[in-house]
Amino acid sequence: MFNVLRATGLVTIQPYFKNTSKHLLKTPKFYFMDTWRCCFLTKWTNPEVLERGAMAGAMLETYAVSEIIKLHTHNGSRVPVYYYADKERREVDLLIKQDSCIHPIEIKKTASVHNSGLWGFDFLRNIKTPVGHGYILCFYKELLPFSREIDIILIGYL
């Protein structure tokens, strides 16, 4: 079944774990490269209902991940992409590995960004890989640096 879905545009993203800690989740995530197809197959054919529904955040994450992968593919760079999740419920939606460094990307369906431990990506220090500049993709009204290590990028820029 998954071979058929892969042929129609399903992408598998593996979890990132350099150390073999038992505290990391090691199950792959699946994303559709075509969010319309994903909405159709999950019977979310009305944009207004999807916007207010429980799957709105997951569908936005699917869109953003697929667009980031397409952007790199169309520019001729096939960088490895991963996600991070552990049993303490800390996660990063996307990690792009480039030049032996990972760049964390968090995708949020919000227009307000608050300073919290999640945005600091502090827990990524446990993976023993250099962490580069990070990004928060959201509906914030302007592009701006959130901190020295993290920029806010409007999701519409994808």
Side-chain angles (χ1 to χ4, degrees), residues 74-91:
H74 291 174
N75 286 327
S77 65
R78 297 185 65 83
V79 295
V81 292
Y82 304 93
Y83 77 95
Y84 176 91
D86 62 25
K87 292 184 179 172
E88 285 82 33
R89 302 183 56 97
R90 297 177 297 194
E91 66 176 64

Side-chain angles (χ1 to χ4, degrees), residues 31 35 38 50 53-64 109:
Y31 291 100
T35 50
C38 184
L50 175 62
M55 294 300 295
M59 201 59 69
L60 179 68
E61 184 177 328
T62 296
Y63 166 76
K109 186 183 172 295

